[in-house]
Amino acid sequence: MGRHIHVIGIGAGDPDYLTVQAINALNDTQVFFAMDKGETKSDLVVLRRKICERFIQEPGYRFVELPDPERATDTDYRQAVVDWHAARARIWAAAIAAELAPDGVGAFLAWGDPSLYDSTLRILEAVSAEVDISYDVVPGITAVQALTARHRIPLNDVGAPVLITTGRQLRARGFTGSAVVMLDADCSFQRCPPQTRIWWGAYLGTADELLVAGTVGEVGARIAALRAEARARHGWIMDTYLLRVSDGAPD
Ligand SMILES: C[S@@+](CC[C@H](N)C(=O)[O-])C[C@H]1O[C@@H](n2cnc3c(N)ncnc32)[C@H](O)[C@@H]1O
């Protein structure tokens, strides 16, 4: 049989986002491997453990914390990420070989869905070159789906594409039509024309959820102030937003 790993999308906040497939994979797992990201995101570590406590019927599983190597800041961004992933792959390969029985089942819990701005699958591909493992992927509800559901809006205009991007890329390249922006610490929407529509959400799916919608001109400054205040209060924030510039076509 050999060692097997489930990469389980756990949804982007609400434990009720877990699918039946995810719950089955949780119950099939003996060892959960978790990145140690330090204190700042400890709320998220707690949430992962709560998910396990709530959905796993037999309490025989255990957690193995994996140290997160430092990412170089003095070199080219892409090269720094490649080196960082390689360092993580070495740590993960050693931990899987040491902690998982030769026919054991392990898992990585991926926030939202593992396909979206998440490095687990890239790193596991590198791990599989070092240790003999098989792995599968259980899809999860992304922050994008949580955002559109909570605002009760369609993601795309009729027959139109949607860009999914980061704050950095939005600032560098702009967008046309509709764009979802993630990983934006800088409220980059403030550089968009004031008539741009925005649907913003923070801590989606949790008890601390914040939602604001309007045009950048109407609500941009309020979102920036709310974001700064919430980030200071919690010590961390995760927020996502959809931007739309209308081309006059019906939506
Ligand atoms: C590293 S990415 C991971 C995305 C995740 N894999 C997903 O499927 O949603 C983290 C970013 O996702 C967004 N995000 C994740 N969870 C969120 C939440 N509950 N509320 C708002 N934004 C969230 C934020 O933009 C955050 O910076």
Side-chain angles (χ1 to χ4, degrees):
M1 275 285 287
R3 295 181 172 96
H4 187 76
I5 305 283
H6 297 301
V7 181
I8 308 173
I10 58 168
D14 187 340
D16 285 357
Y17 288 155
L18 261 86
T19 64
V20 174
Q21 202 178 24
I23 293 169
N24 289 341
L26 290 176
N27 279 284
D28 187 43
T29 298
Q30 293 134 20
V31 181
F32 291 94
F33 295 97
M35 301 292 282
D36 171 13
K37 292 199 173 179
E39 287 303 300
T40 47
K41 297 226 169 145
S42 62
D43 290 3
L44 303 184
V45 175
V46 169
L47 189 85
R48 283 191 168 92
R49 292 197 183 240
K50 278 196 180 150
I51 283 173
C52 289
E53 280 161 26
R54 173 168 161 194
F55 291 109
I56 298 179
Q57 280 158 5
E58 302 287 339
Y61 62 90
R62 62 199 172 88
F63 274 87
V64 170
E65 297 281 343
L66 303 172
D68 206 11
E70 288 287 314
R71 190 165 77 185
T73 50
D74 54 352
T75 117
D76 166 66
Y77 173 75
R78 276 181 184 275
Q79 188 56 46
V81 172
V82 167
D83 293 346
W84 187 45
H85 284 179
R88 277 176 159 185
R90 284 192 293 276
I91 291 169
W92 292 20
I96 290 169
E99 303 283 351
L100 205 56
D103 59 351
V105 178
F108 287 86
L109 303 184
W111 191 253
D113 182 81
S115 70
L116 186 63
Y117 292 120
D118 187 296
S119 48
T120 309
L121 295 176
R122 279 183 206 97
I123 298 170
L124 267 189
E125 198 185 347
V127 168
S128 66
E130 298 194 26
V131 268
D132 189 19
I133 53 163
S134 57
Y135 59 98
D136 64 357
V137 177
V138 177
I141 304 274
T142 67
V144 180
Q145 292 155 303
L147 178 77
T148 54
R150 293 298 291 134
H151 281 287
R152 303 179 301 167
I153 47 162
L155 180 58
N156 59 288
D157 265 342
V158 176
V162 177
L163 175 71
I164 299 183
T165 191
T166 63
R168 180 197 294 242
Q169 291 289 331
L170 179 72
R171 292 196 302 281
R173 295 161 192 249
F175 79 105
T176 55
S178 300
V180 175
V181 184
M182 306 176 77
L183 295 160
D184 181 13
D186 300 307
C187 294
S188 306
F189 55 81
Q190 290 181 300
R191 304 206 190 170
C192 295
Q195 67 275 20
T196 309
R197 284 183 290 165
I198 180 168
W199 291 266
W200 177 81
Y203 312 103
L204 288 158
T206 77
D208 300 309
E209 183 177 88
L210 298 168
L211 298 171
V212 179
T215 66
V216 167
E218 288 161 2
V219 298
R222 178 149 65 90
I223 293 172
L226 253 183
R227 188 185 192 283
E229 186 275 322
R231 187 177 183 284
R233 188 155 36 91
H234 293 278
W236 61 278
I237 191 165
M238 284 206 296
D239 62 328
T240 304
Y241 51 91
L242 173 65
L243 298 173
R244 188 123 66 213
V245 282
S246 187
D247 59 4
D251 60 8

